[in-house]
Amino acid sequence: MKGIILYRSKYGATKKYADWLSEETGFPCMETGKANSDEMQKYDVIILGGGIYASGIAGLSFLKKNIGKWKDKKIIVFCDGASPYEESTFQEIIKHNMKDELEGIPCFYCRGAWDMESMKFADKKLCQLLRKAVAKKDPSDYEVWERALMEAGDDRCDWTDKKYLEPVLELLAEEPN
């Protein structure tokens, strides 16, 4: 089985997961911005990873644009974000992102990292505004992601862990149907 790991990483967590997957599978890693869709024809498996920003999965546009060419490929998506895993929230992310021709493609969540200091100006401002809005709520009413946002504050947090990749590796180990 020949595969590749494509990723779009804004702050490093997705790249870390892609590198870990590469170590486990022997598949090469490549940023989606450097990937050539025609080159992907030589692979049996395409794994795409991206961070979650405003409920969208970074790099997914590359998959959407090329999915028609890759009907015979085993495709897996993983995404990462700063929030702890919460089933209903993740299902909303899947519903929002994995629709139409992407529906049914397996998608997995990995917890990422948080570092306000390394964020670009616009992302930092958005997070600051979001925290300001959340701070007006009663903490007992916080959703999981709101609690995580408020707890992280300005601290540097790294929740990345290889254990989040276990479901991806299990799926790869399954015999093709």
Side-chain angles (χ1 to χ4, degrees):
M1 184 168 54
K2 195 172 178 186
I4 189 164
I5 302 155
L6 303 174
Y7 68 91
R8 170 82 168 82
S9 189
K10 206 170 187 181
Y11 297 109
T14 307
K15 182 178 181 346
K16 187 187 240 185
Y17 281 116
D19 288 342
W20 283 339
L21 270 174
S22 180
E23 289 169 14
E24 291 293 322
T25 62
F27 297 169
C29 291
M30 182 183 292
E31 291 180 83
T32 56
K34 296 178 181 175
N36 176 321
S37 64
D38 293 331
E39 275 291 302
M40 299 304 113
Q41 293 303 330
K42 65 183 179 185
Y43 297 104
D44 306 306
V45 177
I46 298 172
I47 301 172
L48 179 114
I52 299 172
Y53 304 101
S55 72
I57 300 173
L60 203 61
S61 59
F62 183 75
L63 179 59
K64 286 179 185 174
K65 190 168 90 177
N66 295 291
I67 193 70
K69 300 176 189 176
W70 302 339
K71 293 286 185 198
D72 60 333
K73 312 288 180 205
K74 183 173 196 168
I75 299 173
I76 301 170
V77 172
F78 73 89
C79 55
D80 61 86
S83 296
Y85 179 81
E86 202 279 314
E87 180 65 24
S88 63
T89 303
F90 184 57
Q91 290 307 316
E92 283 300 314
I93 287 167
I94 289 174
K95 185 178 169 185
H96 177 74
N97 290 278
M98 308 302 288
K99 55 189 172 191
D100 301 325
E101 64 275 0
L102 304 185
E103 191 172 347
I105 293 175
C107 185
F108 300 93
Y109 183 80
C110 305
R111 191 157 188 206
W114 176 265
D115 184 2
M116 286 284 284
E117 198 171 295
S118 72
M119 285 185 194
K120 292 181 178 141
F121 179 79
D123 291 340
K124 190 181 291 192
K125 285 296 171 198
L126 180 62
C127 288
Q128 288 169 342
L129 288 170
L130 203 49
R131 282 201 321 218
K132 205 176 213 179
V134 171
K136 294 176 183 176
K137 294 175 73 171
D138 181 335
S140 64
D141 294 332
Y142 286 171
E143 292 184 40
V144 172
W145 69 269
E146 292 171 325
R147 185 168 288 106
L149 177 71
M150 299 309 281
E151 287 173 0
D154 289 330
D155 296 337
R156 186 171 192 268
C157 304
D158 185 346
W159 302 283
T160 57
D161 191 321
K162 288 182 180 182
K163 71 178 181 189
Y164 293 116
L165 296 173
E166 289 171 6
V168 176
L169 295 169
E170 288 170 12
L171 184 59
L172 285 172
E174 288 179 8
E175 291 294 320
N177 295 338

